[in-house]
């Protein structure tokens, strides 16, 4: 039997500068993702764009390569590109990706302007000049009104996760920002869904946009969906049984309500799982800590509602669990799309009570598929050892403000402390703290050695999170 070859679109098909292509290769970006292959040729040719694709499909590079190609001589100081994002986390992720993609060019300044952060340092950075601004609509508008952000030299406006920004009530702010941009510009709008407000935005602020939609959202083989019928009272217990049976390293468990999040978190923690919850009551620092611990693999399960989990970009998610079936088939698609990212396989487990069967029917009809069901009784613990994450997170007091760099922490751990670089995972540096993932078995020792020794020539306070 022959299989249909997957169409491969190397980045070399595009009219990009050789240095940019070389940088992409270095980043391991060889072939374009489907949304990139569909949108980049149009956008690089100068068209406005409305692009619809799910989270994790590579939208950032799809617009970042365009705004970088649109940059005029790098000596110019003014802001030439503006990306609006719904949240600070997304803005940080986008800025990070834009910086990586911009490495080929010299001296490109990328600045984030988000609410919740103090305004004074932002004013100072704007004084210094930025070429690309990534920010949330409210704060960007604030800077426009103060005249600290001038957009007369802007040539690219990007609305990222536009549906989410509309959900958050940003329509008017986005409209005001768009009106402050020069009429001669390229506008790119990205959205996972297509509610009415998107058409309204597009009509008012885009010029003859090309539409790109990728509705065959998942290669069906990459995400394995399995359904289990449960009684209401066994629902949360079933989550623990799924974890014991499949033993995924990272699982995102979706609940329909906050109360269910709390109940599930309590049950999982009581059973000895390393679990955290993401909900609206967390302040920004707590939310950052939860996300960092989950992304660096020191937390097995993240329990969240759809609202709390929106826009998260976490690679390597082995499993998604629908603790309850969502009535909205589109939400179901988004939930399970969190697993099986660009080049990894994933599991999507769904727990359904008899009362929820009609929702399952709707989802099946929507996806044109018949789902696989397994009896709950087949789930047996696969090991006597409890499921435990491979890493643990150390929090070091001292971050960007102290000019902490990843190399300083790595140096301290592999130098006098004597650990192997292989035992150290992701290092995240925030304003006031640095978080470093280390193999779980060495966490306490590593914290002791860091406390006893020096980082960047100073003694530091360190604690193991969790
Ligand atoms: P989205 O904005 O659609 O949610 P992202 O732009 O955040 O998705 O991309 C998801 C992940 O895929 C990121 O980790 C990114 O580095 C990676 N990625 C994007 N494009 C490619 C590519 N062409 N090849 C390999 N990895 C890619
Ligand atoms: Mg994105």
């Amino acid at each position: 039997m022959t299989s249909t070859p997957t169409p491969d679109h190397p980045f070399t098909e595009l009219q990009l500068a050789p240095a940019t292509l070389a940088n992409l290769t270095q980043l391991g970006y060889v072939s374009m993702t489907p949304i990139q292959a569909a949108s980049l040729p149009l956008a690089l040719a100068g068209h406005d764009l409305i692009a619809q694709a799910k989270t994790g499909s590579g939208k950032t590079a799809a617009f970042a390569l365009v705004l970088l190609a649109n940059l005029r001589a790098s000596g110019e100081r003014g802001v030439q590109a503006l990306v609006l994002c719904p949240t600070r986390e997304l803005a940080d992720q986008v800025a990070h990706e834009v910086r990586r993609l911009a490495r080929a060019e010299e001296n490109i300044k990328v600045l984030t302007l988000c609410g919740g952060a103090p305004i004074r340092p932002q004013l100072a950075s704007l004084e210094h000049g930025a070429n690309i601004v990534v920010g949330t609509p409210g704060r960007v508008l604030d800077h426009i009104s103060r005249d600290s952000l001038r957009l007369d030299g802007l040539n690219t406006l990007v609305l990222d996760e536009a549906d989410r920004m509309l959900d958050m009530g940003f329509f008017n702010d986005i409209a005001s920002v768009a009106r402050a941009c020069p009429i001669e510009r390229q506008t790119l709008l990205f959205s996972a869904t297509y509610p009415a407000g998107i058409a309204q935005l597009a009509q008012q602020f885009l010029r003859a946009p090309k539409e790109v939609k990728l509705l065959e959202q998942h290669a069906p083989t990459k995400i394995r969906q399995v359904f289990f019928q449960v009684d209401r009272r066994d629902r949360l217990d079933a989550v623990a049984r799924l974890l014991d049976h499949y033993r995924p390293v990272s699982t995102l468990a979706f609940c329909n309500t906050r109360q269910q999040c709390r109940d599930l978190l309590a049950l999982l923690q009581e059973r000895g799982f390393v679990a955290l919850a993401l909900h609206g009551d967390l302040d920004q620092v707590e939310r950052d800590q939860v996300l960092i611990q989950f992304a660096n693999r020191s937390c097995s399960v993240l329990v969240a509602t759809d609202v709390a989990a929106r826009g998260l970009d976490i690679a390597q998610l082995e499993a998604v669990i629908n603790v309850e079936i969502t009535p909205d088939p589109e939400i179901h698609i988004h939930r399970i799309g969190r697993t099986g990212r660009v080049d990894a396989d994933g599991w999507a487990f769904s727990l359904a009570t008899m009362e929820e069967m009609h929702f399952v029917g709707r989802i099946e009809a929507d996806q044109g598929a018949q789902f696989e069901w397994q009896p709950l009784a087949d789930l047996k613990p696969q090991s006597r050892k409890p499921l435990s994450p491979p890493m643990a997170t150390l929090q070091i007091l001292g971050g960007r403000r102290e000019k902490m760099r990843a190399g300083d922490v790595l140096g301290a751990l592999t130098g006098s402390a004597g650990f192997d670089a292989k035992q150290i995972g992701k290092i995240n540096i925030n304003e006031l703290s640095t978080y470093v993932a280390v193999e779980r078995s060495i966490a306490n020792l590593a914290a002791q050695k860091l406390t006893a020794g020096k980082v960047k020539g100073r003694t530091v306070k360190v604690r193991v999170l969790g």
Side-chain angles (χ1 to χ4, degrees):
M1 215 173 80
T2 54
S3 62
T4 12
T6 31
D8 183 46
H9 294 282
F11 279 99
T12 46
E13 281 179 2
L14 301 171
Q15 300 291 319
L16 292 170
T20 306
L21 287 172
N23 182 43
L24 285 168
T25 311
Q26 258 196 0
L27 292 173
Y29 290 21
V30 180
S31 300
M32 290 185 262
T33 65
I35 188 68
Q36 291 163 358
S39 61
L40 279 167
L42 292 169
L44 287 169
H47 293 285
D48 279 8
L49 204 68
I50 304 176
Q52 188 178 357
K54 63 158 189 147
T55 308
S57 55
K59 282 178 286 204
T60 319
F63 62 73
L65 290 171
V66 180
L67 63 85
L68 289 169
N70 286 350
L71 285 189
R72 293 178 301 266
S74 59
E76 222 171 296
R77 274 167 50 101
V79 173
Q80 297 182 44
L82 171 63
V83 183
L84 293 182
C85 301
T87 65
R88 198 190 79 173
E89 275 141 25
L90 287 167
D92 285 341
Q93 285 171 12
V94 165
H96 178 75
E97 180 83 350
V98 171
R99 286 193 187 103
R100 279 167 19 111
L101 293 167
R103 281 194 314 209
E105 273 114 310
E106 264 168 65
N107 261 329
I108 293 180
K109 281 212 180 142
V110 184
L111 178 63
T112 55
L113 296 178
C114 299
I119 202 144
R120 220 175 267 262
Q122 295 181 348
L123 293 173
S125 305
L126 281 164
E127 285 270 303
H128 272 94
N131 307 106
I132 301 167
V133 166
V134 184
T136 48
R139 183 55 65 93
V140 166
L141 187 59
D142 191 359
H143 281 289
I144 293 173
S145 335
R146 287 165 185 256
D147 210 21
S148 45
L149 174 61
R150 295 215 189 89
L151 297 175
D152 358 310
L154 179 131
N155 53 38
T156 318
L157 172 65
V158 179
L159 308 179
D160 190 19
E161 310 235 357
D163 49 349
R164 171 93 169 107
M165 291 198 281
L166 295 183
D167 281 353
M168 295 173 75
F170 281 137
F171 187 96
N172 290 332
D173 286 356
I174 297 171
S176 304
V177 172
R179 280 188 212 105
C181 294
I183 292 179
E184 282 301 324
R185 62 161 196 266
Q186 188 176 10
T187 309
L188 309 173
L189 183 158
F190 288 80
S191 193
T193 59
Y194 205 93
I198 299 290
Q200 208 180 329
L201 272 183
Q203 208 191 350
Q204 289 186 33
F205 302 110
L206 273 67
R207 277 213 250 178
K210 299 278 183 199
E211 289 191 31
V212 176
K213 276 189 199 171
L214 288 181
L215 288 178
E216 19 64 85
Q217 304 201 343
H218 316 288
T221 48
K222 280 178 72 185
I223 300 175
R224 185 149 172 226
Q225 283 209 69
V226 188
F227 282 69
F228 297 85
Q229 192 188 326
V230 294
D231 286 336
R232 186 169 293 276
R233 62 173 190 282
D234 299 333
R235 200 195 285 278
L236 302 185
D237 177 66
V239 175
R241 292 178 62 181
L242 276 170
L243 295 169
D244 279 330
H245 181 92
Y246 288 98
R247 302 180 70 79
V249 178
S250 302
T251 301
L252 186 53
F254 284 102
C255 295
N256 285 2
T257 64
R258 275 210 221 168
Q259 186 55 47
Q260 195 172 53
C261 279
R262 281 192 279 269
D263 295 345
L264 179 60
L265 184 71
L267 177 133
L268 292 176
Q269 289 181 336
E270 194 189 291
R271 305 271 178 99
F273 292 102
V274 181
L276 293 169
L278 201 58
H279 53 74
D281 298 338
L282 301 179
D283 65 32
Q284 193 64 51
V285 172
E286 293 166 327
R287 194 177 152 89
D288 284 348
Q289 284 190 1
V290 168
L291 289 175
I292 286 170
Q293 290 178 81
F294 188 59
N296 73 18
R297 321 208 102 193
S298 41
C299 159
S300 302
V301 191
L302 184 64
V303 177
T305 56
D306 296 293
V307 175
R310 247 182 119 169
L312 291 187
D313 173 33
I314 293 168
Q316 293 185 307
L317 208 51
E318 278 80 6
V320 163
I321 300 178
N322 293 304
V323 179
E324 198 169 325
I325 304 295
T326 158
D328 183 343
E330 204 168 333
I331 291 181
H332 183 85
I333 297 273
H334 283 136
R335 285 179 170 186
I336 68 170
R338 300 323 187 80
T339 181
R341 287 299 175 74
V342 176
D343 49 12
D345 293 336
W347 290 101
F349 304 115
S350 301
L351 305 176
T353 58
M354 276 313 283
E355 297 82 64
E356 288 157 16
M357 287 304 166
H358 64 290
F359 296 147
V360 177
R362 236 193 253 175
I363 295 167
E364 280 189 320
D366 187 66
Q367 289 186 238
Q370 269 220 317
F371 296 137
E372 175 184 342
W373 289 82
Q374 269 180 30
L376 213 50
D378 284 1
L379 298 178
K380 300 267 156 53
Q382 295 300 300
S383 160
R384 237 173 296 162
K385 276 199 271 165
L387 178 66
S388 161
M391 311 298 276
T393 302
L394 310 184
Q395 178 184 18
I396 303 171
L397 292 188
R400 268 200 299 272
R401 189 178 293 180
E402 284 72 27
K403 306 225 179 321
M404 193 77 91
R405 282 178 322 185
D408 302 325
V409 180
L410 196 61
L413 284 165
T414 56
S416 54
F419 295 107
D420 192 325
K422 283 204 290 281
Q423 298 176 290
I424 321 296
K426 261 193 173 173
I427 299 175
N428 293 84
I429 303 175
N430 284 5
E431 192 63 23
L432 300 173
S433 286
T434 299
Y435 300 92
V436 51
V438 299
E439 277 178 9
R440 204 161 188 83
S441 57
I442 64 162
N444 288 321
L445 188 62
Q448 274 169 29
K449 292 209 169 175
L450 281 179
T451 310
K454 288 198 159 119
V455 180
K456 229 176 144 65
R458 280 194 301 260
T459 44
V460 288
K461 286 214 172 105
V462 184
R463 66 176 186 131
V464 183
L465 286 185

